[in-house]
Amino acid sequence: MHLFIIDIFISIDVLSPLAEKLCKEEKKIFFFNSNFIQNHNSSNNKLIKFLEKNKNFKLINNFNLLNIRFILFRFFSKIIIFFFKIFKKKGYKIWKFLWLQDLPLSNLFLFYLIKKYKIKSITVVEDLPDKKFFFFKNVAAKAKIPLIMIPSGLSPVPGSIDLSKKIPDHFLSSNLLNNDKINKNSFFRLLGSPRYAPTWIENLKQIYNLDKKKNFTVGIFTKATESTLLEFYKIKNKLLDKRINVLLNSKPREILPLKNTIQFKELSSTEIIEYSDVIISYPSSILLEAIQKQKPIIFPFYSEFMKEKKGGFFDDN
């Protein structure tokens, strides 16, 4: 049995195809939510709903007396939501501070799960906050089981962390680019990218129950906190002025309570790609799905904002 740590939406998106494949191979996979702010479950997440159809999958219920701190923080978050609603504030800085903490997590509860279900490994996504990463690393070390890390995108080496500080037992690389860096570290293992496997792309059609589109549509992918956002909204408004149907999707890394996130109100990236005739976007791994579906992609590099280097894997691509 293997424990997968989910946190914000992107972690579910990354881990679900790997979980589905292992469940088919009769491996027991448990999802454990380390994020008390966002209560991910089958009623608000279609990927979890799909996985729960397999008898080998289980979403761990955090409401356990051994996990009392998590329960108290969840209750505390509801109070904060109530006051922010009164004052019409999102409180992003407060939510981010709380999200970064490991205080709601319980060693006692994790060791109980490991012993009860005979957990053989713990898997995290690379952009899990540092304090949470070290919490699970320490738990794994004490339980004498490996801590496995997988990338959140297509970068073959972790793009968001310092591997000299956050060292997993295994890093499941998506490809062999920059293999000189990979060869220097014994913990690298080549996995590929289950998120973009043809079989998983087919599964997504079933998961999102995709309908046939009727009108010519342009899909736009944005980063909600980037300087490029204004440019993308200019494009959207120009298209709407010409009466062209537009679907917008923001990068799914929000840490606000689910009902306050942009993604809660939007279509998923899979739905946007399926329903669009053309995609306008910044360089991102999600476009691999658009390429697989043979959708034309436009990068608005005429804008100075779009030319900024972010130090990401897809710069200059």
Side-chain angles (χ1 to χ4, degrees), residues 87 96 103 116 126 129 145 159 175 193 201 234 264 274 282 293 295:
F87 295 106
K96 184 175 182 181
L103 189 59
K116 179 179 179 179
E126 67 167 282
I145 58 176
N175 57 70
S193 182
I201 298 298
K234 285 181 182 177
F264 190 80
E274 182 70 22
Y282 61 94
K293 293 182 177 179
K295 304 284 184 174

Side-chain angles (χ1 to χ4, degrees), residues 128-143:
L128 188 71
D130 287 359
K131 289 182 180 180
K132 293 180 182 180
F133 169 83
F134 287 113
F135 171 85
F136 289 109
K137 182 175 173 61
N138 290 335
V139 167
K142 290 177 182 178

Side-chain angles (χ1 to χ4, degrees), residues 220-236:
I220 301 178
F221 288 106
T222 71
K223 285 187 179 181
T225 58
E226 294 286 347
S227 56
T228 56
L229 186 62
L230 181 61
E231 192 66 43
F232 281 117
Y233 272 101
K234 285 181 182 177
I235 295 170
K236 175 189 174 184

Side-chain angles (χ1 to χ4, degrees), residues 7 22 30 45 86 90-91 108 115 148 158 168 187 192 199 253 273 280 282 309:
D7 198 83
L22 292 173
F30 296 157
N45 189 287
I86 292 176
K90 284 191 174 182
L108 191 63
K115 183 177 180 180
I148 301 168
F187 52 79
T199 51
R253 293 178 185 268
I273 292 170
I280 300 176
Y282 61 94
K309 302 288 185 182

Side-chain angles (χ1 to χ4, degrees), residues 198-216:
T199 51
W200 183 248
I201 298 298
E202 285 299 311
N203 281 336
L204 290 174
K205 292 181 181 180
Q206 174 188 345
I207 291 168
Y208 291 106
N209 192 24
L210 299 174
D211 300 319
K212 292 183 178 179
K213 72 176 192 63
K214 297 178 181 179
N215 302 318
F216 181 86

Side-chain angles (χ1 to χ4, degrees), residues 14-211:
V14 169
L15 290 169
S16 290
L18 183 58
E20 189 264 349
K21 181 172 176 57
L22 292 173
C23 285
K24 277 188 172 181
E25 295 175 359
E26 298 301 320
K27 303 288 195 304
K28 301 286 186 182
I29 301 296
F30 296 157
F31 271 15
F32 176 86
N33 185 11
S34 64
N35 185 352
F36 76 93
I37 299 170
Q38 297 181 346
N39 183 25
H40 304 292
N41 55 61
S42 59
S43 66
N44 58 38
N45 189 287
K46 292 180 180 179
L47 296 173
I48 293 175
K49 184 177 181 180
F50 171 76
L51 291 171
E52 285 188 338
K53 294 177 182 178
N54 192 305
K55 60 181 176 60
N56 294 315
F57 174 83
K58 180 180 177 66
L59 176 65
I60 296 295
N61 184 358
N62 274 305
F63 287 88
N64 184 296
L65 288 178
L66 297 176
N67 203 25
I68 189 66
R69 280 189 299 182
F70 194 96
I71 298 171
L72 290 175
F73 269 86
R74 177 68 59 77
F75 177 74
F76 176 57
S77 72
K78 291 184 181 297
I79 297 175
I80 297 176
I81 291 170
F82 174 75
F83 280 104
F84 280 151
K85 190 173 183 180
I86 292 176
F87 295 106
K88 297 181 179 179
K89 300 287 185 181
K90 284 191 174 182
Y92 181 84
K93 289 183 179 179
I94 292 176
W95 289 121
K96 184 175 182 181
F97 172 79
L98 292 172
W99 170 64
L100 292 172
Q101 308 308 311
D102 66 341
L103 189 59
L105 301 174
S106 166
N107 277 287
L108 191 63
F109 186 50
L110 262 293
F111 285 120
Y112 161 77
L113 293 175
I114 291 170
K115 183 177 180 180
K116 179 179 179 179
Y117 297 112
K118 298 179 181 178
I119 301 295
K120 296 180 180 178
S121 71
I122 297 176
T123 299
V124 301
V125 177
E126 67 167 282
D127 49 10
L128 188 71
D130 287 359
K131 289 182 180 180
K132 293 180 182 180
F133 169 83
F134 287 113
F135 171 85
F136 289 109
K137 182 175 173 61
N138 290 335
V139 167
K142 290 177 182 178
K144 297 181 180 180
I145 58 176
L147 180 75
I148 301 168
M149 180 185 288
I150 69 173
S152 57
L154 288 176
S155 177
V157 293
S160 59
I161 64 168
D162 182 354
L163 268 180
S164 65
K165 297 177 181 178
K166 287 172 68 171
I167 304 176
D169 294 298
H170 304 292
F171 182 85
L172 305 184
S173 186
S174 58
N175 57 70
L176 290 175
L177 293 173
N178 296 322
N179 62 356
D180 55 322
K181 295 181 182 179
I182 293 175
N183 292 335
K184 292 178 183 178
N185 296 285
S186 60
F187 52 79
F188 276 90
R189 299 289 185 273
L190 179 63
L191 172 69
S193 182
R195 170 62 180 83
Y196 299 106
T199 51
W200 183 248
I201 298 298
E202 285 299 311
N203 281 336
L204 290 174
K205 292 181 181 180
Q206 174 188 345
I207 291 168
Y208 291 106
N209 192 24
L210 299 174
D211 300 319

